[in-house]
Structures are given as C-alpha cells and as structure tokens.
Amino acid sequence: GSLAGNIITIAWSTPAGGPATSYTVLAGSTAGAVDIYNGNVGLTNTVSAPVGPGPYFIRVFGNSACGAGALSNEVSIAVP
C-alpha cells in the first residue's frame, strides 16, 4: 500500500488458480480487525480512498464461483 497526503492506495495481483469474479477488501484499526471497511470492490486490482489520521490494517481476498479465496498478507499504513 501507499500513502499520498490522506489518500491510501492498495493494489494486488490476480491470484493463481483461476479467475476471480470480484475482490473483497477488509480494513481495520488494529491487526486482523475489520472495523473500518468490509466490502466487495468488483474486479478492480487497485483501490484508493481518503482517510483520517490513524493506523490502517488492510487485507484482500478474491471471490469466485468456488467461494472466497485465501486472505492476502496484511498491509499496515499509518496516516499522520
């Protein structure tokens, strides 16, 4: 992930093992939490959002006809 001003941007690669039909982004204020965002972002591989100060912990997983895929590694970004 990256930070420019108060805009967080995260990007990910399409997972191996078959095409995703959508991606879900999870964001929390502590590691492993989902108290800030839990939503489907469609087929995009990049998401940007303006945020307030604080820590952000972000993970992504792909969805397909077979169900939800494995969670990505968690990325942490601190916004001053």
Side-chain angles (χ1 to χ4, degrees), residues 25-60:
V25 173
L26 308 173
S29 57
T30 59
V34 203
D35 58 331
I36 295 173
Y37 186 79
N38 178 356
N40 187 307
V41 296
L43 280 172
T44 186
N45 286 59
T46 304
V47 175
S48 296
V51 295
Y56 293 85
F57 296 82
I58 305 163
R59 295 167 290 162
V60 177

Side-chain angles (χ1 to χ4, degrees), residues 1-3 8-11 58 75-77:
S2 64
L3 177 65
I8 287 178
T9 300
I10 58 168
I58 305 163
V75 172
S76 62
I77 299 174

